[in-house]
Structure formats: structure tokens, C-alpha cells
């Protein structure tokens, strides 16, 4: 059951880039709309569950939300520069490295040589799969619609995004607080951070309101990951959640029209298989 719940973020988070890409809007509009939707989701959870919220939860939650807003805003910028089917797999690979190493080394979630061997093999498969799904065919002679518009800007944005996302998950895991109690202050921190990026830049128009749907998807994935993080650890729960690149990559191609050459499609298929194998190996480790 824990592994099934841990897979929900894969579907929820893997769909965010597709939904936001269909809705449109700037990176700041997408971030603000997404955080408002996440706040709405967390308020509903709070009213239903009525968890106890402590001062520590408020401080850690708001701080993690601020870090998340940096990660998500810069990821949207990265996808603008690189395309969804390229930017998201690259972002995923970078996040996997940071969070998996943090869970295994700093939180001692892997014990013994067997866990480290299987864990790093699984991580290698996931990162290799992410790389292949994003690989470009420079010799195809076809000008693809998702050709890297500005690789340097996109890479810089994704590096900052990885730092923000890494801090968002690591500080929550280190605090060991009730996930049900922390999501409301966390979403408040997210709105504060998104408002900072949107200040004097974004009007509350239809793109902001429509992107609230992304916040609902994110909220569902977030609460499932936080719950399973306490049961199976950060390294495995986060890695399983990032298998959503299969959805985002294939969706970017077939739903958003990000064209791939035949050679690139072979890379995508092989990359997706590597991601699936990595996820299966992580599940086997937990079992």
C-alpha cells in the first residue's frame, strides 16, 4: 500500500507541466496560480483532518514553501527555455541526485552495502533515463519545435530550481513533522514566495486562475509524498515520485506537439524503460 501511495505523485506531478503548458501564461503566472490552487487544497485538508499545528510546523512549513516557490518558478523558466520534454527530464535528473544522496547519506536511509549498491544502480538508471528522454539529435537535419532556445539560461534556471526543490524536501524530512499539519503553513509560504516573483509583473487574469488546477495536482502529489517519506524514506519516496517524467515527456510530445525525430523517439523509449527499471528496483529494495 505504501508503494502505491508513493506512486500517486508520479501521475500528479508528471501531469503538471502538461496542464500548465496547455493553459499557457508566463512562468510567474503559472507559479502564482499553482500556489493559490495548492493553498486551496491545503485549506480543504486542514478543515477535514483538523491537525494540530505547532509553532515549529509554521516556521518549517513557511520556509519549505518559500524554497519550493524558488524551485517551481525556476523550473517553469527552464521549461520555457528548453521545452517541457527536455527541461523537465533534466530537472528531474538533477533533483534525483540531490535528494537520493541526501536521504542515503545524511538521513542514513540505506543500511549496508546491499542498499547502497542497489540504490545507486537504481539512481543511475533513473538519471540515465532522464538524460535519454531529453537527448537531442543534432544530426537529424530536422528543426524540432523543442530545440533548445537558450541552453545556458535554461541550465542556470534548473540549477537554481534544484537547490530550491532540494531544500524544500530535505528540511521537512529533517524536521520529522506531521505531514497533515505542515501542508497549510507550507502552502502559505508558497503563496508568499510566488507573490514575490509576481510583484508588479503579473495581473490576476485567466492564466493565473486556470493554473490553480496545477496547484490541486501538486497538492495531491505533495501530501502523498510527505506521508510516504516517513514510511519508506526520502531517497525512495522522492525517486518514485519523479518517475512522472515518463508522463511529462510523452505528453510533451503527443499533447503539446514538441516534435521528435525518429532517433530522438528511440532515445525517449529507451529512457522511459530505464526510468521504469529504476523504479522497479527501488520498489524491490523496499519490499
Amino acid at each position: 500500500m505504501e508503494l502505491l501511495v508513493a506512486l500517486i505523485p508520479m501521475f500528479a506531478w508528471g501531469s503538471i507541466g502538461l496542464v500548465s503548458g496547455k493553459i499557457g501564461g508566463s512562468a510567474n503566472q503559472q507559479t502564482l496560480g499553482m500556489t493559490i490552487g495548492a493553498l486551496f487544497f491545503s485549506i480543504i485538508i486542514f478543515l477535514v483532518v483538523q491537525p494540530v499545528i505547532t509553532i515549529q510546523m509554521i516556521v518549517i512549513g513557511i520556509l519549505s514553501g518559500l524554497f519550493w516557490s524558488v524551485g517551481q518558478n525556476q523550473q517553469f523558466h527552464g521549461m520555457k527555455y528548453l521545452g517541457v520534454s527536455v527541461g523537465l527530464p533534466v530537472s528531474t535528473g538533477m533533483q534525483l541526485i540531490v535528494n537520493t544522496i541526501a536521504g542515503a547519506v545524511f538521513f542514513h536511509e540505506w543500511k549496508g552495502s546491499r542498499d547502497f549498491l542497489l540504490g545507486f544502480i537504481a539512481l543511475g538508471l533513473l538519471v540515465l533515463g532522464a538524460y535519454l528522454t531529453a537527448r537531442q539529435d543534432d544530426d537529424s537535419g530536422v528543426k524540432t519545435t523543442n530545440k533548445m532556445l537558450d541552453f545556458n539560461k535554461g541550465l542556470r534556471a534548473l540549477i537554481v530550481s534544484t537547490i530550491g526543490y532540494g531544500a524544500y524536501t530535505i528540511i521537512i524530512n529533517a524536521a520529522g513533522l506531521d505531514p497533515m499539519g505542515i501542508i497549510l503553513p507550507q502552502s502559505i509560504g508558497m503563496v508568499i514566495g510566488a507573490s514575490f516573483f509576481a510583484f508588479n509583473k503579473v495581473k490576476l487574469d485567466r492564466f493565473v486562475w486556470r493554473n490553480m488546477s496545477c496547484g490541486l495536482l501538486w497538492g495531491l502529489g505533495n501530501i502523498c509524498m510527505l506521508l510516504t517519506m516517513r514510511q519508506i524514506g526520502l531517497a525512495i519516496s522522492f525517486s518514485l515520485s519523479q518517475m512522472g517524467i515518463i508522463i511529462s515527456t510523452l505528453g510533451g510530445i503527443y499533447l503539446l506537439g514538441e516534435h521528435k525525430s525518429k532517433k530522438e523517439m528511440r532515445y525517449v523509449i529507451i529512457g522511459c524503460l530505464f526510468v521504469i527499471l529504476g523504479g522497479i528496483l527501488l520498489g524491490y529494495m523496499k519490499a
Side-chain angles (χ1 to χ4, degrees), residues 15-24 210-211 213-214 217 256:
S15 303
I16 289 175
L18 306 178
V19 175
S20 64
K22 276 291 186 182
I23 292 172
R210 289 176 181 175
N211 272 288
S213 58
C214 297
L217 285 171
L256 301 183

Side-chain angles (χ1 to χ4, degrees), residues 28 31-32 35-36 69 189-200:
N28 292 329
T31 305
L32 182 59
T35 56
I36 294 173
S69 67
M190 291 163 55
V191 173
I192 293 173
S195 299
F196 173 79
F197 287 114
F199 185 70
N200 285 338

